Amino acid sequence: MVEDRPAKPHAAVSLLIDASGSMGYGPNSRAFYATEAGIVLAEVMDRLGFAFEVVDFNSMYGGEYQCGYTAMNVRKPFEGQMNAVTKAAIATDHTGRENSDGHAVEWCIKRVQRQDATHRFVFTISDGQPAGPCPDDCSTPSEHLTRVVQNCPDNVEIFSVGIAGMDTSRYYENAVKINNTAELAENLLPVLRKMLGQVRVAA
């Protein structure tokens, strides 16, 4: 006789924070609330035992080929531990210029696909206003983001948190919005329940 035990479900999560100029800087800014949401989600993922990373992004026109670029900054890597140092890195609300969300979301999708996991998720935390460089075959950054989300592989689920009451449901099917830090717990619960429900069902 051979004992057959199903593998314990294991999730890999990429937490993506918009660090563009429209997010602002300092207390009560969109960037401040985005980092607060990032810390809360990171602590939840850590307690669940999921592999996760926290990254931010900003974009800029120009560059070597004048076609623009998107800079990805890893605040907490998949292999990193959740401690005082990583929490401080996540809490750094620095911002850049534009935000080519499509490039950043696509980057995160590819990252979680490389993880050894039974479930893969991307959480975007932004103000839902794509701007900046996009591929030549897209007329706007919004069109590019829409295409990336629609073409997301079946083994990756995308969730979105709109900061400062911004509605991101135009781009993401799984979207919630928060006005300030006080609403984090209540408004994020539906998203987390759906995510954890998928993990349990597949188990």
Side-chain angles (χ1 to χ4, degrees):
M1 297 180 66
V2 177
E3 184 178 13
D4 183 14
R5 292 187 180 182
K8 182 180 178 180
H10 177 63
V13 185
S14 184
L15 303 177
L16 176 65
I17 299 176
D18 182 349
S20 63
S22 65
M23 297 292 284
Y25 181 78
N28 300 318
S29 66
R30 295 176 184 177
F32 173 80
Y33 293 132
T35 56
E36 289 273 300
I39 291 173
V40 170
L41 283 169
E43 290 180 336
V44 170
M45 301 309 158
D46 185 55
R47 292 183 181 182
L48 289 171
F50 293 164
F52 70 96
E53 67 175 359
V54 182
V55 300
D56 69 54
F57 75 100
N58 67 84
S59 308
M60 187 174 292
Y61 290 100
E64 184 178 355
Y65 301 105
Q66 299 301 309
C67 59
Y69 64 90
T70 295
M72 307 297 299
N73 174 52
V74 179
R75 299 188 185 186
K76 187 265 177 196
F78 276 112
E79 63 275 11
Q81 299 297 314
M82 192 65 174
N83 52 37
V85 175
T86 51
K87 284 184 181 180
I90 297 171
T92 303
D93 59 344
H94 64 275
T95 53
R97 297 288 296 276
E98 280 77 36
N99 53 302
S100 297
D101 294 54
H103 288 303
V105 171
E106 189 172 40
W107 188 87
C108 288
I109 290 173
K110 292 178 180 178
R111 294 269 287 188
V112 295
Q113 282 194 299
R114 291 198 293 268
Q115 296 297 309
D116 182 16
T118 57
H119 302 78
R120 298 170 180 84
F121 303 94
V122 174
F123 272 81
T124 68
I125 305 172
S126 73
D127 59 5
Q129 301 182 64
C134 63
D136 292 337
D137 59 348
C138 289
S139 58
T140 65
S142 293
E143 179 185 341
H144 182 216
L145 175 58
T146 299
R147 186 174 70 182
V148 168
V149 173
Q150 290 177 346
N151 293 329
C152 180
D154 292 338
N155 65 347
V156 178
E157 188 84 19
I158 304 178
F159 294 89
S160 175
V161 179
I163 297 299
M166 302 301 288
D167 186 4
T168 58
S169 62
R170 171 185 174 186
Y171 306 104
Y172 306 99
E173 179 181 354
N174 302 307
V176 297
K177 57 184 178 180
I178 61 171
N179 290 295
N180 52 55
T181 308
E183 297 179 358
L184 270 175
E186 179 181 358
N187 290 4
L188 282 177
L189 276 178
V191 171
L192 294 174
R193 284 197 187 103
K194 182 173 182 179
M195 170 188 171
L196 294 175
Q198 292 180 11
V199 174
R200 285 197 299 268
V201 167

